[in-house]
Amino acid sequence: MGMTFKTIQEARQVVSFYAMANKKKLKTKKSDTKRIRYECYDGCPFTLLISKDGKSATFKVKTLKPKHTCGDSFVNPLATYHTLAVYFKDEVQNNPKYPIKDMRGILEKKFKLNVSRSKLKRAKTMALDKLEGSFKDDYNRLEAYGQELRQSNPGTDVVINISKDALEQGIRRFLRIYICFKALKDGWKSLRPIIGLDGTFLKGKCKGQLLVAVGQDSMNHFYPIAWAVVEKENTGTWTWFIQLLRISLELKNGEIVTFMSDMQKGLLDAVANVVPEAHHRFCVRHIESNWCKKWRSGEEKKLMWWCAWSTYEEEFKDTLKVLGKVDEDSASDLLHFPVIKWCRAYFDTQCKNLMVDNNFTESFNSWILEARQKPIIKMLEEIRVKVMKILVKNEKMGRKWQNDISPTAMKLYNDY
Ligand SMILES: [Zn+2]
């Protein structure tokens, strides 16, 4: 009695949840913009009247006979798809693949309520559609998020672009966001100067792609540096991303740095244009999958990897000769990929890194797979928290070292 609600919609929502929780099959008796009256079935005395509260804009429970004489009901007309969408909102938003089977299970277990698959499917779609809107139009929330990151992490670069097309129509619509934390910038400067680049699709309802820049620490763990959400991966978005990264990490013309990526055209052009002095390695696994369409036998693949792992020119040439003997075309085809981009013998020695594949960057992307299914701010926050936690874990490990040299580096030194 006396409970108030902001709107009649809110009142309806609460009564629907009441009916579900108490397994009661209520029916609406009188319903208009000013009042709503509920009764129960089977001569049960339960009555509830909610109506406008005098001159105020709110609504209030005016009549309540709370006792039921009826039994539990296993169907419930008030459990509409809209009510169910609100009920499952968090679960579905956190996991867009949340199974309908589980939704049914929960309703059965908690409320003894039997709801059809089609109704739940509709409820789930409704909860997800609201998310899509939040990706496209939630520019203001993203700007506030960016401001919060800048304030709580001074020196952090957060850049948000809005759509020019939408702006012409007077709408401020989110287009891209770039984030590079100050702590990650500073940390990267003490690591070997290698940066893996990769783009990956967002998995949820929100469209777009995630671009990441990832380094490697002295234990060969991935070390995330910066990430961005863009509309899609192309020369324009990669150029934008690398320009911002260049500023964040003070890369100048790229003299000191080595990039690692697969061979997407947009990305290659962007690196060449923005940081023309940088070294750029091509991931050998991508060379393998392009070259290998023709050369599928194990022997040729194996020799290709040996070519990539050759650490001096003669070794490379000898291995290539062996490959040529197995199949002449496979060797000449392999040379279509500029050898200085993928063979250790030709790598610069400045970055002190033997990597010939981009696995470390791709493993970062799969590590955040779950986050990639979420709406944009939830995703960015989950990435931030995950990165923070793994850095703490790695630091704790580092504090247990016997000296200033990492066990991985020490092992390499001893092996040689
Ligand atoms: Zn009743």
Side-chain angles (χ1 to χ4, degrees), residues 169-223:
Q169 298 160 33
I171 306 161
R172 292 165 72 80
R173 180 178 294 154
F174 165 76
L175 185 66
R176 299 172 190 163
I177 183 166
Y178 165 92
I179 299 172
C180 181
F181 283 98
K182 172 77 159 69
L184 297 177
K185 284 193 226 179
D186 291 351
W188 182 76
K189 283 174 190 158
S190 66
L191 301 178
R192 291 165 293 174
I194 189 164
I195 299 174
L197 299 172
D198 195 26
T200 178
F201 283 98
L202 299 179
K203 295 279 181 181
K205 269 230 163 187
C206 61
K207 307 285 177 284
Q209 277 182 279
L210 186 76
L211 308 184
V212 299
V214 178
Q216 217 180 20
D217 71 15
S218 62
M219 294 294 288
N220 294 342
H221 302 127
F222 57 71
Y223 181 91

Side-chain angles (χ1 to χ4, degrees), residues 103 126 130 139 154 179 273 408:
M103 296 165 81
M126 192 177 192
K130 283 186 177 161
Y139 168 73
I179 299 172
N273 292 334
T408 304

Side-chain angles (χ1 to χ4, degrees), residues 26-81:
L26 301 187
K27 55 189 169 189
T28 315
K29 264 298 176 196
K30 194 183 261 173
S31 170
D32 56 39
T33 53
K34 286 196 173 123
R35 86 213 66 198
I36 182 159
R37 186 185 177 87
Y38 294 92
E39 281 179 12
C40 204
Y41 281 80
D42 304 330
C44 171
F46 176 88
T47 313
L48 169 64
L49 172 74
I50 298 168
S51 64
K52 209 153 174 298
D53 187 20
K55 277 181 187 149
S56 86
T58 58
F59 292 80
K60 195 172 185 175
V61 176
K62 297 278 180 61
T63 310
L64 178 66
K65 289 183 193 156
K67 283 237 163 57
H68 287 273
T69 55
C70 61
D72 287 355
S73 171
F74 301 102
V75 286
N76 198 325
L78 295 190
T80 58
Y81 71 90

